[in-house]
Amino acid sequence: MSALAFMNFALIVAFVAMALGQIMAMIRLVKGPSTGDRILALDTMVINAIGLIVLLGISQGFRIYFEPSMMIAMLGFVSTVALARFVLRGDIIE
Amino acid sequence: MIETIGLVCVGILLLIGAGFALVGAIGLLKLPDSMTRLHAPTKVGTVGIGALLLASMIHAWVLGAGSFHEVLIMAFLFVTAPISANFLAKTNMHKNACDTPPKPPRDDTWSTYAVPAHDGALTQKMDDKPAAKG
């Protein structure tokens, strides 16, 4: 097996694994007994989305997928903190 | 030759990242209670994404347009993961989604349970507001 074929195989495996992870996080988001579980599932889905975008960038060979993943990382952190804070205090900015 | 080594490195890193992401997701789905579930997705956030970003960086170097941009995302995720985990643990404690942790050795209570006096007044005011309106 040539190196390129191996990389393409690994790429497909990674895509499948990330998609499965996204689906599992989604199941936890629907099931999640407590609010903390739901916020955690959303946080995991954001991180998985970053992974999927990075994989898309590798498979297409473009370098433009760096900015979207950076933005999603920042938005994901801010939204996680905002949700957790809203649940804790009933207010985000006091 | 260098290209071959680079591509094999990319493939191995992709497999490592995918494996860790999958393990983290399975943990999120299967673990029994909120606090243990909090621990599983840290694998996705650190090694999973870290390996994928490293693979992306090496792939860019192999293509001849390499840069260190992806390190920024990695550093950002590594810095913010403990903060959001701390917030989620606090949420679980306040929502009684876990057993109450044992008392801290030196103080009376955990700092997140200790509400200062002026803060209590603020909460009181917020509670009063709808009543005054209605």
Side-chain angles (χ1 to χ4, degrees):
Chain A
M1 190 155 51
S2 77
L4 195 62
F6 172 65
M7 197 204 77
N8 283 330
F9 166 74
L11 209 53
I12 290 168
V13 170
F15 264 121
V16 170
M18 290 317 256
L20 278 180
Q22 195 79 307
I23 290 169
M24 285 178 200
M26 228 180 280
I27 293 172
R28 178 51 71 195
L29 177 66
V30 173
K31 246 172 52 170
S34 77
T35 321
D37 288 323
R38 294 212 162 91
I39 302 174
L40 181 65
L42 277 175
D43 194 45
T44 313
M45 283 177 73
V46 165
I47 290 174
N48 265 326
I50 299 169
L52 278 171
I53 289 179
V54 169
L55 286 177
L56 195 67
I58 296 176
S59 74
Q60 297 187 352
F62 287 157
R63 302 289 300 147
I64 55 169
Y65 289 107
F66 161 71
E67 280 91 358
S69 38
M70 188 81 210
M71 268 154 63
I72 289 178
M74 289 177 164
L75 272 178
F77 169 65
V78 170
S79 57
T80 304
V81 169
L83 273 171
R85 224 181 138 62
F86 183 73
V87 170
L88 275 177
R89 305 295 303 267
D91 212 343
I92 296 170
I93 302 168
E94 291 166 48
Chain B
M1 187 59 204
I2 286 285
E3 212 167 276
T4 310
I5 294 172
L7 288 180
V8 169
C9 275
V10 171
I12 291 170
L13 282 170
L14 282 176
L15 289 180
I16 292 173
F20 270 85
L22 201 57
V23 165
I26 292 172
L28 179 67
L29 196 56
K30 297 290 283 185
L31 285 175
D33 65 84
S34 290
M35 281 302 198
T36 48
R37 277 200 283 271
L38 195 57
H39 135 100
T42 49
K43 273 102 219 145
V44 191
T46 52
V47 184
I49 293 295
L52 291 187
L53 289 170
L54 213 57
S56 170
M57 234 158 35
I58 294 174
H59 187 251
W61 282 105
V62 169
L63 286 188
S67 63
F68 288 107
H69 283 166
E70 273 86 353
V71 175
L72 264 179
I73 304 178
M74 232 188 279
F76 186 80
L77 283 179
F78 281 19
V79 167
T80 57
I83 303 171
S84 47
N86 185 20
F87 267 103
L88 289 173
K90 268 186 177 178
T91 310
N92 283 341
M93 279 165 81
H94 281 268
K95 285 265 153 189
N96 296 324
C98 60
D99 300 336
T100 314
K103 277 213 176 293
R106 264 170 293 175
D107 299 314
D108 318 331
T109 182
W110 294 99
S111 65
T112 181
Y113 287 141
V115 181
H118 65 274
D119 229 26
L122 189 76
T123 326
Q124 194 70 41
K125 222 187 289 170
M126 273 168 55
D127 289 343
D128 286 348
K129 224 184 271 171
K133 238 184 229 170

PDB file of all heavy atoms in Angstrom, chain A residues 60-75:
ATOM      1  N   GLN A  60      -9.302  18.115   1.205  1.00  0.00           N
ATOM      2  CA  GLN A  60      -9.357  18.954   0.005  1.00  0.00           C
ATOM      3  C   GLN A  60      -8.030  19.645  -0.276  1.00  0.00           C
ATOM      4  O   GLN A  60      -7.850  20.209  -1.357  1.00  0.00           O
ATOM      5  CB  GLN A  60     -10.461  19.994   0.146  1.00  0.00           C
ATOM      6  CG  GLN A  60     -11.837  19.375   0.255  1.00  0.00           C
ATOM      7  CD  GLN A  60     -12.938  20.390   0.222  1.00  0.00           C
ATOM      8  OE1 GLN A  60     -12.676  21.581   0.268  1.00  0.00           O
ATOM      9  NE2 GLN A  60     -14.170  19.929   0.158  1.00  0.00           N
ATOM     10  N   GLY A  61      -7.132  19.645   0.706  1.00  0.00           N
ATOM     11  CA  GLY A  61      -5.829  20.264   0.482  1.00  0.00           C
ATOM     12  C   GLY A  61      -5.846  21.781   0.498  1.00  0.00           C
ATOM     13  O   GLY A  61      -4.895  22.403   0.054  1.00  0.00           O
ATOM     14  N   PHE A  62      -6.930  22.385   1.011  1.00  0.00           N
ATOM     15  CA  PHE A  62      -6.984  23.844   1.085  1.00  0.00           C
ATOM     16  C   PHE A  62      -6.497  24.311   2.447  1.00  0.00           C
ATOM     17  O   PHE A  62      -6.566  23.593   3.430  1.00  0.00           O
ATOM     18  CB  PHE A  62      -8.427  24.339   0.890  1.00  0.00           C
ATOM     19  CG  PHE A  62      -8.914  24.216  -0.513  1.00  0.00           C
ATOM     20  CD1 PHE A  62     -10.271  24.160  -0.783  1.00  0.00           C
ATOM     21  CD2 PHE A  62      -8.015  24.146  -1.569  1.00  0.00           C
ATOM     22  CE1 PHE A  62     -10.731  24.029  -2.091  1.00  0.00           C
ATOM     23  CE2 PHE A  62      -8.462  24.035  -2.867  1.00  0.00           C
ATOM     24  CZ  PHE A  62      -9.820  23.973  -3.123  1.00  0.00           C
ATOM     25  N   ARG A  63      -6.026  25.564   2.493  1.00  0.00           N
ATOM     26  CA  ARG A  63      -5.563  26.121   3.760  1.00  0.00           C
ATOM     27  C   ARG A  63      -6.586  27.081   4.347  1.00  0.00           C
ATOM     28  O   ARG A  63      -6.336  27.701   5.358  1.00  0.00           O
ATOM     29  CB  ARG A  63      -4.238  26.869   3.545  1.00  0.00           C
ATOM     30  CG  ARG A  63      -3.147  26.020   2.959  1.00  0.00           C
ATOM     31  CD  ARG A  63      -2.616  25.001   3.941  1.00  0.00           C
ATOM     32  NE  ARG A  63      -2.059  25.663   5.110  1.00  0.00           N
ATOM     33  CZ  ARG A  63      -2.098  25.156   6.332  1.00  0.00           C
ATOM     34  NH1 ARG A  63      -2.683  24.005   6.537  1.00  0.00           N
ATOM     35  NH2 ARG A  63      -1.547  25.806   7.330  1.00  0.00           N
ATOM     36  N   ILE A  64      -7.748  27.257   3.666  1.00  0.00           N
ATOM     37  CA  ILE A  64      -8.683  28.287   4.136  1.00  0.00           C
ATOM     38  C   ILE A  64      -9.553  27.803   5.279  1.00  0.00           C
ATOM     39  O   ILE A  64     -10.328  28.577   5.818  1.00  0.00           O
ATOM     40  CB  ILE A  64      -9.603  28.769   2.999  1.00  0.00           C
ATOM     41  CG1 ILE A  64     -10.308  27.589   2.369  1.00  0.00           C
ATOM     42  CG2 ILE A  64      -8.838  29.572   1.985  1.00  0.00           C
ATOM     43  CD1 ILE A  64     -11.413  27.981   1.426  1.00  0.00           C
ATOM     44  N   TYR A  65      -9.438  26.540   5.667  1.00  0.00           N
ATOM     45  CA  TYR A  65     -10.309  26.035   6.721  1.00  0.00           C
ATOM     46  C   TYR A  65      -9.778  26.338   8.112  1.00  0.00           C
ATOM     47  O   TYR A  65     -10.371  25.933   9.097  1.00  0.00           O
ATOM     48  CB  TYR A  65     -10.523  24.529   6.560  1.00  0.00           C
ATOM     49  CG  TYR A  65     -11.379  24.203   5.387  1.00  0.00           C
ATOM     50  CD1 TYR A  65     -10.850  23.652   4.240  1.00  0.00           C
ATOM     51  CD2 TYR A  65     -12.737  24.486   5.421  1.00  0.00           C
ATOM     52  CE1 TYR A  65     -11.645  23.378   3.152  1.00  0.00           C
ATOM     53  CE2 TYR A  65     -13.540  24.219   4.340  1.00  0.00           C
ATOM     54  CZ  TYR A  65     -12.986  23.662   3.207  1.00  0.00           C
ATOM     55  OH  TYR A  65     -13.778  23.405   2.140  1.00  0.00           O
ATOM     56  N   PHE A  66      -8.648  27.062   8.185  1.00  0.00           N
ATOM     57  CA  PHE A  66      -8.105  27.397   9.498  1.00  0.00           C
ATOM     58  C   PHE A  66      -8.980  28.424  10.208  1.00  0.00           C
ATOM     59  O   PHE A  66      -9.309  28.250  11.382  1.00  0.00           O
ATOM     60  CB  PHE A  66      -6.675  27.923   9.341  1.00  0.00           C
ATOM     61  CG  PHE A  66      -6.199  28.702  10.520  1.00  0.00           C
ATOM     62  CD1 PHE A  66      -5.913  28.057  11.702  1.00  0.00           C
ATOM     63  CD2 PHE A  66      -6.073  30.078  10.458  1.00  0.00           C
ATOM     64  CE1 PHE A  66      -5.501  28.773  12.798  1.00  0.00           C
ATOM     65  CE2 PHE A  66      -5.657  30.791  11.547  1.00  0.00           C
ATOM     66  CZ  PHE A  66      -5.372  30.146  12.721  1.00  0.00           C
ATOM     67  N   GLU A  67      -9.383  29.471   9.504  1.00  0.00           N
ATOM     68  CA  GLU A  67     -10.156  30.550  10.147  1.00  0.00           C
ATOM     69  C   GLU A  67     -11.505  30.062  10.685  1.00  0.00           C
ATOM     70  O   GLU A  67     -11.837  30.368  11.839  1.00  0.00           O
ATOM     71  CB  GLU A  67     -10.342  31.722   9.183  1.00  0.00           C
ATOM     72  CG  GLU A  67      -9.141  32.636   9.091  1.00  0.00           C
ATOM     73  CD  GLU A  67      -8.199  32.189   7.997  1.00  0.00           C
ATOM     74  OE1 GLU A  67      -8.487  31.155   7.358  1.00  0.00           O
ATOM     75  OE2 GLU A  67      -7.177  32.864   7.785  1.00  0.00           O
ATOM     76  N   PRO A  68     -12.306  29.319   9.898  1.00  0.00           N
ATOM     77  CA  PRO A  68     -13.572  28.829  10.448  1.00  0.00           C
ATOM     78  C   PRO A  68     -13.390  27.992  11.704  1.00  0.00           C
ATOM     79  O   PRO A  68     -14.147  28.157  12.671  1.00  0.00           O
ATOM     80  CB  PRO A  68     -14.151  27.985   9.314  1.00  0.00           C
ATOM     81  CG  PRO A  68     -13.472  28.396   8.108  1.00  0.00           C
ATOM     82  CD  PRO A  68     -12.188  29.015   8.470  1.00  0.00           C
ATOM     83  N   SER A  69     -12.361  27.122  11.712  1.00  0.00           N
ATOM     84  CA  SER A  69     -12.217  26.277  12.907  1.00  0.00           C
ATOM     85  C   SER A  69     -11.812  27.106  14.116  1.00  0.00           C
ATOM     86  O   SER A  69     -12.270  26.852  15.228  1.00  0.00           O
ATOM     87  CB  SER A  69     -11.235  25.135  12.653  1.00  0.00           C
ATOM     88  OG  SER A  69     -10.177  25.559  11.871  1.00  0.00           O
ATOM     89  N   MET A  70     -10.982  28.127  13.897  1.00  0.00           N
ATOM     90  CA  MET A  70     -10.611  29.029  15.007  1.00  0.00           C
ATOM     91  C   MET A  70     -11.854  29.737  15.540  1.00  0.00           C
ATOM     92  O   MET A  70     -12.069  29.830  16.755  1.00  0.00           O
ATOM     93  CB  MET A  70      -9.609  30.061  14.471  1.00  0.00           C
ATOM     94  CG  MET A  70      -8.993  30.935  15.513  1.00  0.00           C
ATOM     95  SD  MET A  70      -7.654  30.111  16.322  1.00  0.00           S
ATOM     96  CE  MET A  70      -7.732  30.869  17.922  1.00  0.00           C
ATOM     97  N   MET A  71     -12.698  30.228  14.617  1.00  0.00           N
ATOM     98  CA  MET A  71     -13.893  30.950  15.044  1.00  0.00           C
ATOM     99  C   MET A  71     -14.844  30.032  15.795  1.00  0.00           C
ATOM    100  O   MET A  71     -15.447  30.424  16.807  1.00  0.00           O
ATOM    101  CB  MET A  71     -14.604  31.549  13.827  1.00  0.00           C
ATOM    102  CG  MET A  71     -14.154  32.952  13.533  1.00  0.00           C
ATOM    103  SD  MET A  71     -14.365  33.390  11.825  1.00  0.00           S
ATOM    104  CE  MET A  71     -16.102  33.300  11.649  1.00  0.00           C
ATOM    105  N   ILE A  72     -14.990  28.792  15.305  1.00  0.00           N
ATOM    106  CA  ILE A  72     -15.887  27.858  15.988  1.00  0.00           C
ATOM    107  C   ILE A  72     -15.358  27.530  17.370  1.00  0.00           C
ATOM    108  O   ILE A  72     -16.123  27.422  18.334  1.00  0.00           O
ATOM    109  CB  ILE A  72     -16.089  26.592  15.133  1.00  0.00           C
ATOM    110  CG1 ILE A  72     -16.934  26.939  13.931  1.00  0.00           C
ATOM    111  CG2 ILE A  72     -16.765  25.501  15.930  1.00  0.00           C
ATOM    112  CD1 ILE A  72     -17.165  25.803  13.011  1.00  0.00           C
ATOM    113  N   ALA A  73     -14.016  27.406  17.494  1.00  0.00           N
ATOM    114  CA  ALA A  73     -13.433  27.136  18.820  1.00  0.00           C
ATOM    115  C   ALA A  73     -13.768  28.258  19.789  1.00  0.00           C
ATOM    116  O   ALA A  73     -14.182  28.020  20.930  1.00  0.00           O
ATOM    117  CB  ALA A  73     -11.922  26.959  18.695  1.00  0.00           C
ATOM    118  N   MET A  74     -13.606  29.518  19.334  1.00  0.00           N
ATOM    119  CA  MET A  74     -13.886  30.657  20.223  1.00  0.00           C
ATOM    120  C   MET A  74     -15.367  30.728  20.579  1.00  0.00           C
ATOM    121  O   MET A  74     -15.732  30.884  21.747  1.00  0.00           O
ATOM    122  CB  MET A  74     -13.451  31.955  19.554  1.00  0.00           C
ATOM    123  CG  MET A  74     -11.957  32.099  19.481  1.00  0.00           C
ATOM    124  SD  MET A  74     -11.510  33.595  18.626  1.00  0.00           S
ATOM    125  CE  MET A  74      -9.811  33.698  19.127  1.00  0.00           C
ATOM    126  N   LEU A  75     -16.228  30.591  19.561  1.00  0.00           N
ATOM    127  CA  LEU A  75     -17.674  30.643  19.818  1.00  0.00           C
ATOM    128  C   LEU A  75     -18.102  29.529  20.760  1.00  0.00           C
ATOM    129  O   LEU A  75     -18.934  29.745  21.650  1.00  0.00           O
ATOM    130  CB  LEU A  75     -18.429  30.505  18.507  1.00  0.00           C
ATOM    131  CG  LEU A  75     -18.711  31.780  17.734  1.00  0.00           C
ATOM    132  CD1 LEU A  75     -19.422  31.443  16.447  1.00  0.00           C
ATOM    133  CD2 LEU A  75     -19.568  32.694  18.566  1.00  0.00           C
TER     134      LEU A  75
END
